[in-house]
Amino acid sequence: MKRIINQRPRRGAALLLGLLPFVLVVIVYAFASDARLTANPNDKLLPSFATLGETVSRLATEPSKRSGDIELWKDTAASLQRLALGVGIAALIGLTFGVLLGALPYLRAGLAPFVASLSLIPPLALLPILFIVFGLGELSKVVLIVFGIAPFIVRDLQQRVQELPREQLIKAQTLAGNTWQIMLRVILPQVLPRLIDAVRLSLGAAWLFLIAAEAIASTEGLGYRIFLVRRYLAMDVILPYVAWITLLAYLTDLGLKQLSRLLFPWYHGKEEHA
Amino acid sequence: MTARIEIRNLWKEYGEQVVLEHINLSVAAGDFCTIVGASGCGKTTFLRLLLGEESPSRGEILLDGEPLTAEPGPDRGIVFQRYSVFPHLSALRNVMLGLELRGAPLSGRLFGAKRRRARDEAAAMLEAVGLGHALEKYPDALSGGMQQRLALAQSLVMHPRILLLDEPFGALDPGIRADMHQLVGRLWRENDLTVFMITHDLKEGFHLGTRLLVFDKLRHDPDAPRAYGAGVTYDLPVARADQRTLERIEADVSRSEALAPQSAEAEQASETRPAAQPTAGADAGAGARKGATTP
């Protein structure tokens, strides 16, 4: 018998094993929900799958009586817009400063300690300041996301630039490259796929900051809705919303991964060989 | 005629540690210098000085009579043992890069007719190093030998005044290495190159170049192993050197290598070597140039 570290599942088996925990959770939920509803048909904590389905179809298809909008889509659009703006701006800042700090020792000496300190400030502690300075509108929510993840991306990309082999930078200089050209043609294209990696890693944090900002001051958005219906113990809304957010986050991550493979095949070649 | 490279009383020290001492050397255009020596004897430091990555502590290096720029530049090409090529560019783009950087200071990209010319030039260079079939491949898809061919093409397309090779074949299999020797020899003849090549393999150094430089310590103090640096202990026109000289140098180098943890024998070894040297020169024939031997 082989050692356990040498036993590998086949492709099909791996897929089934991966599904198993999901199936288990659903089954456990179904039993628990059923038990509670048998004891008390008005129980709101663990609604049955039928109730969940009804609520989802209402949220996704019928206009709300109060606003006339279809809530799920309106909330999704509002949240995704904030998230995209925040993450996009953070990525741009991260790329610019990451490349500059990684490539220019003088700039690094001047700014790296500052960026490191910035990244240690808990972003949520700044939220009140953001609300005071930028008001309760969209801007403060986007700024919170930017502030929450940009320092991480800057530091990560700076690190990646510094990890480029010394030989490459010397070689580029013997090929007549000046500082600007080397940043543009040697460093930048090589950190773009690493930027995608950094963004993927920071998406979880970006969602956290988004939901937090929406929970505190907003009139629409996925986080706003969850915290709104919390007062009515409306688990039939909260649970589908959480699942929906998870699905969106998963799809974004998957999309970025595929985008990276499509745009930077040279970067992913290595992984497959390894 | 001025020498291509003229080195006058070159010293390199890092704090207390002397790495290179008192090197005088004159290399004519068209010379193919191979550099051998024990590990840590300063041959890589010497190459980095030529490259401009490091500056001399004392003395000067002249390239065609002008002091060398203190940073790497297009007049000096380099091929390292690894990481010389850019993983994000295809072979063709790797070779075009130098032409593009030289032709477009701002964007680093060429367009239209200029781009086509650069493309053709790069493709011809790749053909010359035997990569005509792999223009669109990324370095990751090339074998180690092919990557070194690519790195050579990348440097040669710039027509550097000197070409520096830092153990370029150290990571390759013996069979591939023989192919690469042929290639480098041919490129050297066809392009009128002046080459400095570091190698660990003394045979390679002996057969590939026209001039063999052996770096080693001239003096040794067992109590202060860092006090003295290496100089050029042999400087031979190897095209005419014989087998016995090769063996003697090999013995010298491996002795220095073995003595790396300093011992009393070190002193003896370093005392006997200068005595051995004139004989080595005589063996090699009348043309042996005397290197920087006595401080």
Side-chain angles (χ1 to χ4, degrees):
Chain A
M1 175 106 163
K2 279 188 183 174
R3 290 179 185 81
I4 297 179
I5 52 165
N6 291 325
Q7 297 178 22
R8 292 168 192 281
R10 283 174 216 212
R11 221 191 149 87
L15 203 69
L16 280 180
L17 280 174
L19 276 175
L20 196 62
F22 293 98
V23 174
L24 278 179
V25 167
V26 170
I27 292 174
V28 169
Y29 180 90
F31 273 105
S33 159
D34 194 55
R36 283 190 75 102
L37 287 171
T38 323
N40 170 15
N42 292 324
D43 180 71
K44 301 192 80 169
L45 275 190
L46 299 179
S48 69
F49 285 114
T51 319
L52 287 173
E54 277 165 35
T55 313
V56 169
S57 94
R58 175 170 56 79
L59 289 169
T61 54
E62 292 172 21
S64 136
K65 280 171 220 140
R66 240 180 317 155
S67 59
D69 296 311
I70 300 180
E71 278 171 359
L72 179 64
W73 302 126
K74 194 171 166 238
D75 290 338
T76 305
S79 288
L80 285 185
Q81 193 192 1
R82 291 166 189 149
L83 191 76
L85 267 175
V87 173
I89 294 170
L92 211 63
I93 293 175
L95 185 64
T96 313
F97 282 90
V99 167
L100 288 173
L101 290 180
L104 307 175
Y106 260 95
L107 204 64
R108 181 161 69 238
L111 281 184
F114 182 67
V115 174
S117 312
L118 273 189
S119 72
L120 291 176
I121 301 175
L124 283 178
L126 283 188
L127 192 54
I129 303 179
L130 299 182
F131 282 145
I132 294 168
V133 176
F134 299 110
L136 297 177
E138 295 301 292
L139 188 58
S140 53
K141 299 178 189 68
V142 172
V143 172
L144 179 70
I145 296 175
V146 172
F147 192 85
I149 65 174
F152 162 75
I153 301 181
V154 171
R155 294 179 78 191
D156 188 58
L157 288 192
Q158 176 201 323
Q159 195 68 42
R160 299 290 157 270
V161 173
Q162 289 182 259
E163 279 168 15
L164 290 178
R166 171 190 69 91
E167 287 90 339
Q168 271 191 29
L169 300 184
I170 303 271
K171 181 84 186 190
Q173 296 176 60
T174 67
L175 299 179
N178 59 36
T179 299
W180 163 248
Q181 288 175 318
I182 291 173
M183 287 199 288
L184 192 68
R185 299 265 353 240
V186 176
I187 297 176
L188 184 67
Q190 291 198 69
V191 296
L192 282 178
R194 293 164 168 104
L195 173 69
I196 293 190
D197 287 346
V199 166
R200 285 176 61 196
L201 284 177
S202 52
L203 271 179
W207 274 103
L208 165 72
F209 299 129
L210 174 72
I211 307 262
E214 285 181 343
I216 294 171
S218 191
T219 53
E220 57 183 3
L222 299 166
Y224 158 75
R225 191 72 51 201
I226 292 179
F227 277 80
L228 180 75
V229 301
R230 177 186 62 97
R231 292 174 219 165
Y232 318 112
L233 280 182
M235 290 291 272
D236 58 333
V237 176
I238 295 176
L239 288 177
Y241 261 65
V242 171
W244 175 235
I245 291 172
T246 311
L247 183 69
L248 288 175
Y250 176 76
L251 290 178
T252 319
D253 187 61
L254 192 69
L256 285 173
K257 191 165 135 189
Q258 297 301 335
L259 185 73
S260 178
R261 283 177 180 276
L262 193 73
L263 294 179
F264 313 111
W266 56 268
Y267 182 69
H268 297 277
K270 307 187 265 225
E271 292 172 11
E272 276 146 27
H273 294 302
Chain B
M1 200 185 103
T2 42
R4 175 54 49 94
I5 287 283
E6 180 81 43
I7 293 170
R8 292 185 191 150
N9 192 22
L10 178 77
W11 291 68
K12 181 67 189 175
E13 293 147 19
Y14 296 100
E16 292 278 284
Q17 185 177 14
V18 182
V19 179
L20 296 172
E21 59 178 53
H22 195 65
I23 294 178
N24 285 295
L25 203 63
S26 174
V27 174
D31 274 359
F32 191 137
C33 300
T34 47
I35 300 170
V36 297
S39 325
C41 71
K43 48 191 197 300
T44 298
T45 305
F46 180 68
L47 203 77
R48 288 166 79 144
L49 287 164
L50 282 176
L51 188 57
E53 203 188 345
E54 305 263 0
S55 330
S57 308
R58 270 179 270 168
E60 56 180 355
I61 305 177
L62 304 178
L63 173 60
D64 290 327
E66 301 282 320
L68 208 59
T69 350
E71 59 176 356
D75 46 5
R76 285 152 285 161
I78 176 85
V79 173
F80 294 103
Q81 188 171 357
R82 296 177 65 195
Y83 304 125
S84 295
V85 296
F86 301 107
H88 63 293
L89 297 172
S90 67
L92 184 65
R93 297 282 181 99
N94 256 296
V95 180
M96 282 171 71
L97 183 66
L99 302 170
E100 291 192 282
L101 295 179
R102 189 165 58 193
L106 211 57
S107 68
R109 285 172 195 278
L110 295 173
F111 300 97
K114 282 183 179 169
R115 181 181 178 79
R116 277 194 297 280
R117 260 204 307 281
R119 206 209 95 95
D120 294 344
E121 206 178 321
M125 188 49 81
L126 282 165
E127 192 70 50
V129 300
L131 285 180
H133 60 286
L135 298 186
E136 296 307 327
K137 286 202 169 146
Y138 284 96
D140 189 45
L142 300 176
S143 67
M146 287 162 87
Q147 288 191 19
Q148 292 307 75
R149 284 167 192 263
L150 176 57
L152 278 169
Q154 204 179 20
S155 289
L156 291 183
V157 83
M158 303 297 286
H159 302 292
R161 285 194 267 178
I162 58 174
L163 179 63
L164 307 169
L165 307 174
D166 188 358
E167 295 192 37
F169 315 131
L172 304 180
D173 296 335
I176 310 234
R177 216 186 267 204
D179 292 347
M180 296 299 288
H181 290 165
Q182 283 201 335
L183 175 72
V184 168
R186 181 166 60 75
L187 291 171
W188 168 65
R189 281 190 300 275
E190 286 173 1
N191 297 284
D192 263 338
L193 300 173
T194 310
V195 181
F196 289 84
M197 180 171 107
I198 291 188
T199 173
H200 246 96
D201 181 352
L202 189 55
K203 286 207 185 64
E204 184 174 89
F206 235 82
H207 297 299
L208 198 52
T210 58
R211 189 168 169 188
L212 177 73
L213 303 174
V214 181
F215 276 63
D216 208 342
K217 292 206 173 179
L218 298 156
R219 312 176 277 177
H220 215 105
D221 180 350
D223 297 323
R226 292 144 70 97
Y228 298 115
V232 178
T233 53
Y234 290 88
D235 180 356
L236 311 171
V238 281
R240 297 165 65 189
D242 65 14
Q243 189 61 29
R244 269 197 306 141
T245 317
L246 169 69
E247 280 161 12
R248 179 152 49 233
I249 297 175
E250 195 150 35
D252 272 1
V253 169
S254 52
R255 186 165 45 202
S256 282
E257 200 115 74
L259 288 175
Q262 313 302 338
S263 68
E265 293 165 67
E267 211 167 22
Q268 281 180 354
S270 59
E271 271 166 11
T272 51
R273 195 165 317 106
Q277 197 215 342
T279 349
D283 282 349
R289 273 165 275 203
K290 201 160 193 282
T293 47
T294 38

